[in-house]
């Protein structure tokens, strides 16, 4: 077998680099089969990269990484020979070990290469937030998500999370966005489903919202044969009577046109449930919180909650 001699007359043996003294015996050489195993692994999970000396990887460590991946024993020398044959450079030799300029791209570390964006990018730099440390080290954290609800749902659906995590998330979100976090639990959806709020039909008169305030409302319908109250749209308005008329006469999106059209063909109309009065300054965030909360409830009614359902399809709101 051909081995590469080092300038200090070192050669690659089973255990790693050694000094040439006499003719090398065959049983001192790395195994051809093990060298090939290491080459296959290197081609798939390693790449050449110029690195500072203190960041080069020890061949003895790397040979153990290969063993864990292939489920077989390989020698230090087999790894060194494979790396050298493939053109990987090493910066130094310490005893039998070589320190290689190698960057690993292991499948289990793929999440580390997903660059955080938006909120996550900001959060990872905020060492004073306890949530930041956990999120940055979490392989399944939604690093590229854009909406508050994506992070909220993530925390709610991963075991071991506490309500304090949701509080920390809200605090961090408000620091990042400068706005109130649209937490779904700010909304009491039972007010609508139990019909404990004001309900109006087309033609009913309802007072305008007080100055500086807006109403949060839901468009509802009672579905047969179970007489089940369903929420199909959530919005905000200062004039409920006018807004309900607009929804029926000018539904807007294709989905809402189809929904209202189906109702009208059956001589039915959507009703409006007015469930909250909020300050104008918080109306957008509270409306989003309501959209998230009712979307969750409607998905539960649809009995589609199986793992991680597409909750955003539950309402006819434009996706936000």
């Amino acid at each position: 077998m051909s081995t590469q001699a080092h300038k200090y007359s070192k050669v690659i043996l089973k255990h790693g680099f050694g000094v040439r003294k006499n003719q090398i015996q065959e049983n001192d050489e790395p195994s051809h089969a093990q060298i090939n195993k290491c080459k296959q692994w290197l081609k798939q999970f390693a790449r050449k990269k110029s690195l500072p000396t203190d960041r080069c990887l020890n061949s003895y460590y790397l040979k153990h990484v290969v063993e864990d991946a292939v489920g077989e024993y390989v020698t230090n020398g087999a790894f060194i020979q494979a790396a050298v044959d493939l053109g990987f450079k090493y910066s130094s030799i310490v005893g039998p070990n070589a320190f290689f300029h190698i960057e690993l791209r292991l499948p289990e570390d793929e999440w580390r290469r997903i660059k955080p964006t938006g909120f996550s990018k900001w959060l990872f730099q905020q060492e004073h937030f306890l949530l930041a440390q956990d999120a940055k080290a979490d392989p399944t954290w939604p690093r590229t998500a854009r909406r508050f609800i994506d992070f909220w749902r993530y925390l709610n659906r991963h075991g071991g999370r506490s309500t304090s995590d949701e509080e920390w998330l809200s605090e961090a979100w408000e620091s990042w966005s400068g706005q109130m976090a649209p937490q779904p639990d700010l909304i009491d959806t039972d007010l609508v489903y139990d019909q404990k709020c004001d309900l109006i039909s087309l033609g009913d008169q309802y007072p305008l919202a007080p100055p500086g305030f807006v109403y949060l409302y839901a468009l509802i319908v009672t579905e047969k044969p179970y007489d089940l109250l369903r929420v199909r749209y959530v919005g905000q308005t200062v004039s409920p009577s006018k807004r309900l008329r607009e929804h029926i006469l000018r539904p807007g999106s294709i989905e809402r046109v189809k929904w209202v059209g189906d109702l009208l063909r059956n001589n039915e109309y959507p009703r409006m449930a007015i469930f909250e009065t909020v300050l104008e300054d918080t109306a957008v965030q509270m409306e989003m919180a309501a959209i998230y909360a009712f979307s969750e409830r409607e998905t539960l009614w649809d009995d589609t909650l199986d793992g991680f359902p597409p909750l955003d399809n539950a309402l006819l709101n434009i996706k936000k």
Side-chain angles (χ1 to χ4, degrees):
M1 168 183 172
S2 172
T3 58
Q4 176 179 325
H6 189 264
K7 63 181 179 180
Y8 296 112
S9 300
K10 287 195 172 184
V11 294
I12 302 172
L13 305 173
K14 274 184 180 179
H15 67 281
F17 274 108
V19 178
R20 181 191 294 276
K21 294 181 179 178
N22 303 306
Q23 185 176 356
I24 298 175
Q25 302 298 314
E26 186 175 349
N27 61 359
D28 291 330
E29 296 180 342
S31 157
H32 286 283
Q34 291 181 12
I35 292 171
N36 288 333
K37 290 275 187 187
C38 293
K39 284 183 178 180
Q40 292 173 12
W41 183 88
L42 282 164
K43 290 175 181 177
Q44 187 172 1
F45 299 116
R47 72 174 181 175
K48 301 168 187 174
K49 188 172 184 179
S50 179
L51 297 168
T53 301
D54 61 353
R55 290 183 57 196
C56 291
L57 298 178
N58 188 321
S59 60
Y60 195 73
Y61 159 74
L62 290 166
K63 82 106 177 178
H64 282 301
V65 177
V66 176
E67 287 175 338
D68 291 341
V70 303
E72 296 180 20
Y73 172 76
V74 298
T75 64
N76 189 31
F79 180 86
I80 293 173
Q81 188 68 63
V84 168
D85 288 349
L86 292 175
F88 287 93
K89 306 297 183 183
Y90 50 84
S91 62
S92 60
I93 298 173
V94 179
N97 305 321
F99 288 77
F100 281 95
H101 293 265
I102 285 179
E103 181 182 52
L104 299 184
R105 300 188 65 85
L106 303 178
E108 58 267 29
D109 292 332
E110 194 63 36
W111 64 277
R112 297 181 186 274
R113 291 183 279 277
I114 300 174
K115 293 183 179 180
T117 60
F119 172 69
S120 289
K121 182 178 180 179
W122 173 87
L123 178 65
F124 291 176
Q125 298 170 351
Q126 312 306 310
E127 296 182 358
H128 60 288
F129 282 117
L130 293 177
L131 180 63
Q133 303 170 24
D134 293 340
K136 189 174 182 179
D138 187 344
T140 56
W141 179 264
R143 300 162 81 87
T144 60
R146 300 172 59 186
R147 306 174 310 165
F148 176 82
I149 192 61
D150 297 318
F151 302 104
W152 178 273
R153 287 172 181 161
Y154 177 79
L155 292 178
N156 270 273
R157 292 193 176 147
H158 282 69
R161 297 290 188 178
S162 64
T163 54
S164 60
D165 286 329
E166 296 167 3
E167 294 169 0
W168 292 333
L169 171 64
S170 297
E171 180 185 354
W173 184 271
E174 290 170 5
S175 295
W176 172 70
S177 68
Q179 298 177 326
M180 182 184 74
Q183 303 169 227
D185 60 2
L186 293 173
I187 305 300
D188 184 0
T189 56
D190 286 338
L191 290 175
V192 174
Y193 291 110
D194 294 341
Q195 301 186 53
K196 294 181 179 179
C197 60
D198 290 339
L199 303 177
I200 64 172
S201 301
L202 179 64
D204 291 347
Q205 296 302 309
Y206 197 87
L208 299 178
F213 290 85
V214 299
Y215 296 121
L216 297 183
Y217 68 88
L219 294 184
I220 62 173
V221 66
T222 302
E223 290 186 353
K224 299 177 181 179
Y226 303 108
D227 290 331
L228 183 66
L229 188 147
R230 306 299 304 271
V231 171
R232 280 292 171 255
Y233 184 88
V234 172
Q236 57 168 296
T237 185
V238 296
S239 178
S241 300
K242 178 182 176 183
R243 187 70 181 113
L244 177 58
R245 185 167 63 253
E246 291 173 345
H247 274 299
I248 294 173
L249 301 180
R250 296 190 297 275
S253 70
I254 294 175
E255 291 82 4
R256 295 204 297 273
V257 168
K258 183 177 183 301
W259 176 60
V260 172
D262 289 342
L263 291 176
L264 295 180
R265 278 192 290 274
N266 292 313
N267 294 317
E268 296 180 75
Y269 295 88
R271 292 182 295 162
M272 178 179 281
I274 304 161
F275 60 86
E276 189 79 74
T277 305
V278 299
L279 289 167
E280 283 182 344
D281 292 344
T282 65
V284 172
Q285 286 72 40
M286 290 296 288
E287 179 189 18
M288 285 308 305
I291 290 171
Y292 297 150
F294 282 104
S295 180
E296 186 95 12
R297 286 292 299 267
E298 286 300 311
T299 302
L300 286 170
W301 283 125
D302 286 334
D303 196 28
T304 59
L305 191 60
D306 182 16
F308 300 92
L311 297 174
D312 297 321
N313 294 331
L315 301 184
L316 297 172
N317 287 75
I318 297 173
K319 305 299 185 293
K320 297 182 181 182

